[in-house]
Amino acid sequence: MQDSSESQDVENSLAADEGSPWLAAKFQQTLDMIYEKYKNVEDGELASYIPELGKANPSNFGICMATTEGEVFTAGDWEQEFTIQSVCKPFAFQMALERHGVEKVLKHVGVEPSGDAFNAIELDERTGRPFNPMVNAGAIAVASLIKANPVEAGIDAFVEKMGKAAGRKLAIDGAVLASETATGNRNRAIAYLLLNSGIIDDAVLETLHQYFAQCSMLVNCKDLAMIGATMANIGTQPVTGERVFDFQLIKHVLAVMFSCGLYNYAGNWAFEVGLPAKSGVSGGICGVVNRQLGIGVYSPKVDAQGNSVRGTLVCKELATHFGLHAFDFSNVGSSFMQWLQ
Ligand code: DON
């Protein structure tokens, strides 16, 4: 059972085939309702272990949903830019898979949920590899695989690819990059553990620069939604029509987002939201409804796991309201977006 009469309204309207403009308005109304419902939630804290992130405005709150047909719905501060942080990780993983193939990449990183914090200084003791590409250890291993010589070329390649998925040119926030570089000793410890274990080569500083720069790329909610929609649209950017991601590899990335994207909350996320997604400590979440839409949410106060408090609430509500959970019995989410066209 859906948990509100409004969700019942949406389902009834789908069944009644009342036409797309009315449904698009209804969809927007629901987004506005969800925004209003959570805009005053004040739980969580700004991440401040990267000092520059502590300067974010805690009241910022934006939501965007983009369909695979290129239709966009927004609420709140959807234009507010923030650094992507860990939301870069699945797309860097995609890039590594495209460049090196599955077999080689899996020699450097596993695909097993760790159940531990994103910044744990650990390897999977059964395999000697980082658990997965969503935790810092795995993401640093992936950064090593996509770095280039000179290092700026590898960073540019990543930013350019992400810009193609977002549908606009993206850039690095130099202040956040400097802040993370100055304070990222935990990641340096992880990188040297990886070097010691033969997971990365000895260009450790270059690998860390690639990783820190990826995390410091500026996006807004619409960018995250469009990047998610590009994944949902099996690799083709919905508006520009450009093929950005190799469609044969997307299933691997979505699977790891589903099982590991929310770190030590991933099991609860799969249970309650049921969507492949990735969170970042700056407060962004990118979700994918396969073949249907991308979701981008931003609010900078995060919980103990480093996941946006309001962002998590919004994703839960959207999934429940529209039946987006991958295993929802009514499977509404796998068909209802077509009604908006
Ligand atoms: O490496 C770090 O700690 C950050 N650049 C990214 C961490 C992050 O976003 C974790 N997500 N919740």
Side-chain angles (χ1 to χ4, degrees):
M1 294 273 286
Q2 299 285 331
D3 64 358
S4 78
S5 57
E6 201 151 346
S7 63
Q8 197 57 55
D9 287 351
V10 172
E11 288 182 24
N12 291 343
S13 65
L14 295 176
D17 187 10
E18 294 192 39
S20 62
W22 188 88
L23 273 174
K26 183 74 186 168
F27 194 73
Q28 181 63 51
Q29 209 182 317
T30 303
L31 214 57
D32 294 340
M33 180 274 289
I34 292 173
Y35 173 81
E36 289 297 324
K37 183 167 173 183
Y38 295 116
K39 76 173 188 210
N40 295 320
V41 171
E42 293 299 346
D43 299 339
E45 303 287 338
L46 294 179
S48 57
Y49 75 96
I50 300 171
E52 199 63 21
L53 297 185
K55 296 182 182 170
N57 178 349
S59 69
N60 279 337
F61 182 29
I63 311 174
C64 180
M65 298 177 85
T67 74
T68 50
E69 299 291 326
E71 196 160 0
V72 172
F73 300 86
T74 58
D77 306 313
W78 65 271
E79 284 181 290
Q80 174 63 49
E81 289 194 325
F82 54 94
T83 54
I84 191 167
Q85 297 302 329
S86 288
V87 183
C88 71
K89 291 171 177 171
F91 312 109
F93 181 47
Q94 170 84 26
M95 204 165 166
L97 292 173
E98 289 178 7
R99 193 166 294 174
H100 299 287
V102 176
E103 199 181 322
K104 177 170 173 189
V105 172
L106 292 187
K107 290 199 167 98
H108 297 260
V109 62
V111 289
E112 205 61 58
S114 69
D116 293 322
F118 66 85
N119 58 2
I121 305 175
E122 65 179 3
L123 300 176
D124 182 343
E125 63 181 26
R126 292 167 310 129
T127 65
R129 299 170 304 180
F131 277 94
N132 63 71
M134 305 294 122
V135 292
N136 289 11
I140 293 169
V142 166
S144 172
L145 292 173
I146 63 173
K147 72 180 181 309
N149 189 5
V151 69
E152 295 306 331
I155 295 166
D156 290 349
F158 179 77
V159 173
E160 195 184 324
K161 190 174 177 78
M162 293 298 279
K164 283 181 181 168
R168 72 174 186 126
K169 202 168 165 4
L170 299 177
I172 304 286
D173 182 324
V176 173
L177 175 55
S179 183
E180 181 157 9
T181 304
T183 57
N185 292 325
R186 207 176 166 94
N187 284 325
R188 278 188 272 278
I190 292 171
Y192 282 101
L193 173 65
L194 295 173
L195 173 65
N196 184 61
S197 309
I199 298 290
I200 64 171
D201 60 39
D202 60 7
V204 178
L205 297 182
E206 289 80 357
T207 289
L208 282 163
H209 189 50
Q210 171 81 30
Y211 172 72
F212 291 148
Q214 287 168 197
C215 293
S216 302
M217 191 179 71
L218 285 164
V219 289
N220 61 29
C221 287
K222 185 177 170 190
D223 297 324
L224 291 189
M226 292 306 308
I227 293 164
T230 301
M231 294 291 274
N233 198 32
I234 47 174
T236 298
Q237 217 279 357
V239 177
T240 64
E242 187 167 3
R243 175 158 289 287
V244 182
F245 300 123
D246 182 336
F247 68 92
Q248 300 197 49
L249 298 167
I250 286 176
K251 66 179 179 188
H252 298 306
V253 177
L254 292 182
V256 177
M257 287 170 81
F258 192 83
S259 58
C260 312
L262 277 280
Y263 306 116
N264 38 344
Y265 191 69
N268 278 286
W269 182 271
F271 189 85
E272 292 175 311
V273 182
L275 292 176
K278 186 72 205 80
S279 63
V281 79
S282 54
I285 300 180
C286 175
V288 179
V289 184
N290 202 23
R291 308 295 177 96
Q292 304 297 322
L293 73 152
I295 300 170
V297 190
Y298 170 60
S299 198
K301 282 186 163 183
V302 297
D303 61 19
Q305 282 88 20
N307 302 321
S308 170
V309 173
R310 289 181 190 161
T312 301
L313 291 168
V314 167
C315 291
K316 278 184 197 169
E317 180 101 15
L318 287 171
T320 307
H321 206 99
F322 292 118
L324 302 178
H325 192 297
F327 308 118
D328 192 291
F329 76 96
S330 62
N331 207 14
V332 178
S334 62
S335 58
F336 91 117
M337 294 309 295
Q338 74 197 40
W339 295 85
L340 290 167
Q341 310 317 321

